[in-house]
Amino acid sequence: MVVARSIWGSKLKLAFAATALGCGVGGAKIANSDDPAAALKLCTTVPVRLFRLSVTAAAIAFDYEYSLMGLPEDSDERAKVKHEVHTRSARRLEDLCFKNGGIYIKLGQHVGQLDYLVPLEYAKAMRESMLNRCPTSTYDQVCQVVKKELGAPPEEIFDEFDPVPIASASLAQVHVARTREGQKVAVKVQHTHMTDTAAADLATVEFIVNTLHRFFPSFDYRWLVDEVRETSPKELDFLVEAGNNVKCMDNFRTLSPHIADCVYAPTIYWSLSTSKLLTMEFIEGPQVNDLKSIKKLRIRPHDISNLVSQTFAEMMFKHGFVHCDPHAANLLVRVSPSGGSSLFGKCKPQLVLLDHGLYKELDTYTRTNYAALWKSLVLADVKGIKESCMKFGAGEDLYTFFTSILTMKPWDRVIDPSVDHLAINDESDLQIYGPEYFSQVTELLHRLPRVILLMMKTNDCLRSVNNALLQRPSLESFLIIGRVSSEAVIEEKSLHAKSLLRLISVWVEEISLEARFILMRIALWALQFKKSLSL
């Protein structure tokens, strides 16, 4: 008990020291600010949030150190106790995120999408709560933002403005409105507290995480704070989001014209948009995982699954400009305005992409090598897989682990030559990379380019969408990924072919790959036919 009191005492000292530091910085802000009222509001809010963060961090650190003290490594008892501590700590973190809101919700959402980078207890708790319980701003707060950004309250700017939001996320909420010209629009209004506290919240979270890392070197989540610090300013500037929207559609028209009619993003109303308020075309359509509504539109879920795979494969491997938040709420489906139908008489789908705040640009080297990696993964090319992983810095010791968490498959299945080797067959595959691999994950994080971590998150979101659509493994999506990644590799080789002989060699490789994918598709059809007979 003496040891416990000593440990807990040191954690409380850390909590109070961190809070005192925050209050000191707050006092300096009030003294030097051009807007003392705003600074006073900031400095009366941030210390409270910082104190909650400090106490929660200290409680979690104490729980781990005290509960695991004296338990042998790799023992069943330690594993059981660690699971209990993970569960308790995840609840504490969840409670902190909801009480503090804002950037804390965003951090919680990131944690919820990182099954293989954080203990599963944390990922599950954050995933189940953070996307569905986001705070909302009051209508008075919304009116304040509209008046400040557009110069007048909503009723003077718009012909109609619904005071009840149709959706709320960590950074903003969306209201339906109608312009003076009669167009139905969606108005995305940033939560007022985001602007007030975002920078201070990030600074305090970074301080606590860095402090904990100094006390406990194995606790190293500085990369997560770095990621949020880099992406948050862009997500908080809605004009950046509007620009991403336009660039995304331009890329499909110029680089992927064969599917440009099948992908859509809402039109931006620039005269009614600012960095904190975004007005865009209102799009009717069910979310991509709403199977009941999709079937009412006479659209096959299978066709949507293929379209989602094709859309994001084109972004990753050909455009190098990737929408990195493709969860179901950001993907709508509607019948294609251009008409047409599938071979089965069903309507042709159009995928509507929402929320363009989080994009990543891949330079040519990264984009081409990432395409080469996925081409090799789909074709079970061991040599190609290793070469691509080594270029990303995974090394001789971690390249098999890297491919496993990228595909959520054990290495022996990654290199299995069967056509369905990358399809997810059961839930056990999703849970094989838990806390016991923490040291390998941490080392991999230090080696890989930061952009690849976001691509891994994007892959997980797309995998979840495809599973929701089909309720079973999506075999064809991997063929689509393999084909588009192969096309990207061939295009890059053709651009850099310096002789006719080299160009002919590239053409031969292209024909060979085309023939191989045709054979794989035939094998896939045969496999699907065999499975249908056995049902």
Side-chain angles (χ1 to χ4, degrees):
M1 289 302 295
V2 173
V3 175
R5 284 196 296 270
S6 175
I7 296 172
W8 182 239
S10 65
K11 304 304 176 293
L12 284 177
K13 288 176 184 177
L14 171 64
F16 282 108
T19 306
L21 177 64
C23 293
V25 173
K29 274 187 169 289
I30 293 175
N32 297 301
S33 175
D34 294 331
D35 186 355
L40 180 60
K41 179 182 176 183
L42 175 66
C43 295
T44 54
T45 304
V46 171
V48 175
R49 298 151 74 85
L50 174 58
F51 182 72
R52 288 195 198 110
L53 170 62
S54 304
V55 170
T56 301
I60 290 174
F62 170 78
D63 198 354
Y64 277 103
E65 191 162 336
Y66 180 66
S67 299
L68 299 176
M69 187 181 299
L71 297 179
E73 291 287 344
D74 301 323
S75 67
D76 291 341
E77 185 182 2
R78 185 182 178 90
K80 179 185 176 182
V81 172
K82 184 179 282 190
H83 167 69
E84 293 170 353
V85 179
H86 284 332
T87 302
R88 287 195 299 270
S89 299
R91 292 198 192 101
R92 290 188 182 109
L93 184 60
E94 179 186 359
D95 185 56
L96 170 72
C97 289
F98 280 121
K99 284 181 177 176
N100 278 1
I103 289 295
Y104 290 85
I105 297 284
K106 200 69 184 175
L107 278 165
Q109 290 175 346
H110 272 288
V111 170
Q113 294 170 329
L114 299 172
D115 299 64
Y116 43 83
L117 302 180
V118 299
L120 290 176
E121 293 85 353
Y122 285 85
K124 184 178 179 182
M126 298 300 111
R127 185 167 55 245
E128 289 176 351
S129 60
M130 291 294 136
L131 290 176
N132 301 318
R133 292 169 53 193
C134 291
T136 59
S137 296
T138 66
Y139 185 58
D140 284 342
Q141 291 172 321
V142 169
C143 289
Q144 290 173 21
V145 175
V146 174
K147 186 174 182 178
K148 183 178 179 181
E149 297 301 311
L150 300 181
E155 60 269 19
E156 294 183 22
I157 300 293
F158 299 95
D159 196 44
E160 299 174 13
F161 192 96
D162 190 340
V164 180
I166 59 169
S168 182
S170 58
L171 306 182
Q173 61 192 47
V174 180
H175 293 258
V176 178
R178 195 171 294 277
T179 66
R180 293 297 184 188
E181 293 72 32
Q183 290 103 347
K184 191 176 183 180
V185 294
V187 184
K188 184 175 180 179
V189 184
Q190 193 169 120
H191 296 311
T192 54
H193 62 269
M194 290 306 305
T195 306
D196 294 338
T197 65
D201 283 342
L202 274 174
T204 54
V205 169
E206 184 174 31
F207 171 76
I208 293 296
V209 170
N210 287 339
T211 301
L212 284 173
H213 176 63
R214 283 195 291 273
F215 278 96
F216 311 101
S218 62
F219 180 94
D220 191 3
Y221 285 99
R222 293 173 296 174
W223 57 270
L224 181 57
V225 179
D226 290 342
E227 186 60 44
V228 175
R229 177 176 288 283
E230 179 185 342
T231 59
S232 289
K234 298 175 184 176
E235 291 186 88
L236 287 168
D237 187 344
F238 290 169
L239 292 179
V240 171
E241 177 178 343
N244 290 341
N245 178 316
V246 172
K247 183 175 180 179
C248 174
M249 289 297 96
D250 286 344
N251 283 343
F252 277 100
R253 283 188 287 269
T254 58
L255 302 175
S256 305
H258 53 292
I259 66 164
D261 288 343
C262 300
V263 184
Y264 190 77
T267 301
I268 303 297
Y269 288 77
W270 292 96
S271 63
L272 296 174
S273 298
T274 71
S275 62
K276 297 178 179 60
L277 186 148
L278 182 62
T279 304
M280 59 201 129
E281 175 187 5
F282 183 85
I283 304 291
E284 300 275 5
Q287 291 185 10
V288 73
N289 62 348
D290 185 353
L291 293 178
K292 186 176 180 180
S293 298
I294 286 170
K295 289 175 181 176
K296 285 182 180 178
L297 295 175
R298 296 183 62 247
I299 296 175
R300 294 173 69 220
H302 178 81
D303 292 339
I304 300 171
S305 173
N306 289 349
L307 178 56
V308 169
S309 297
Q310 179 87 25
T311 297
F312 282 87
E314 298 280 339
M315 284 192 203
M316 288 188 285
F317 306 133
K318 292 186 177 180
H319 305 176
F321 188 66
V322 187
H323 186 308
C324 289
D325 201 14
H327 59 75
N330 289 338
L331 304 176
L332 302 185
V333 178
R334 65 179 182 179
V335 175
S336 175
S338 64
S341 60
S342 69
L343 293 174
F344 300 90
K346 297 293 185 179
C347 294
K348 183 180 176 182
Q350 185 180 65
L351 183 67
V352 181
L353 304 177
L354 305 179
D355 195 351
H356 297 260
L358 183 58
Y359 269 74
K360 275 293 182 181
E361 290 200 56
L362 308 181
D363 58 61
T364 301
Y365 176 85
T366 302
R367 176 181 61 81
T368 305
N369 194 48
Y370 193 59
L373 173 56
W374 271 103
K375 164 181 166 287
S376 299
L377 286 169
V378 172
L379 298 177
D381 175 5
V382 178
K383 181 181 178 182
I385 292 171
K386 183 176 181 179
E387 287 178 355
S388 295
C389 290
M390 299 289 277
K391 288 178 182 178
F392 281 132
E396 291 273 359
D397 55 334
L398 288 177
Y399 79 91
T400 59
F401 184 69
F402 173 38
T403 56
S404 289
I405 62 174
L406 191 61
T407 60
M408 298 304 277
K409 288 288 159 190
W411 174 248
D412 60 347
R413 197 173 299 181
V414 169
I415 60 176
D416 187 327
S418 60
V419 70
D420 62 340
H421 69 293
L422 292 182
I424 296 176
N425 295 317
D426 56 66
E427 285 296 315
S428 63
D429 283 339
L430 296 173
Q431 298 173 8
I432 57 176
Y433 303 104
E436 62 268 31
Y437 297 100
F438 184 77
S439 60
Q440 291 160 282
V441 169
T442 301
E443 179 60 29
L444 196 58
L445 289 174
H446 288 305
R447 298 186 192 180
L448 293 177
R450 193 69 65 193
V451 69
I452 296 301
L453 299 181
L454 214 50
M455 292 300 101
M456 291 160 67
K457 171 195 166 187
T458 302
N459 288 338
D460 289 346
C461 289
L462 295 174
R463 187 182 290 115
S464 176
V465 165
N466 272 318
N467 288 342
L469 276 167
L470 300 181
Q471 308 292 304
R472 58 178 172 77
S474 175
L475 303 181
E476 195 164 347
S477 67
F478 286 107
L479 287 186
I480 292 170
I481 290 170
R483 190 161 190 163
V484 177
S485 60
S486 297
E487 290 171 358
V489 171
I490 292 296
E491 287 173 8
E492 195 62 26
K493 287 182 178 179
S494 298
L495 286 174
H496 292 88
K498 296 182 179 180
S499 67
L500 179 60
L501 186 62
R502 177 58 183 159
L503 192 58
I504 292 173
S505 173
V506 173
W507 289 341
V508 171
E509 182 181 357
E510 181 178 13
I511 294 169
S512 174
L513 282 170
E514 184 67 25
R516 187 165 181 180
F517 279 110
I518 289 173
L519 292 174
M520 289 178 71
R521 185 167 293 279
I522 292 171
L524 175 60
W525 286 339
L527 182 63
Q528 291 174 330
F529 180 70
K530 182 179 179 181
K531 286 183 177 180
S532 67
L533 290 178
S534 64
L535 294 177

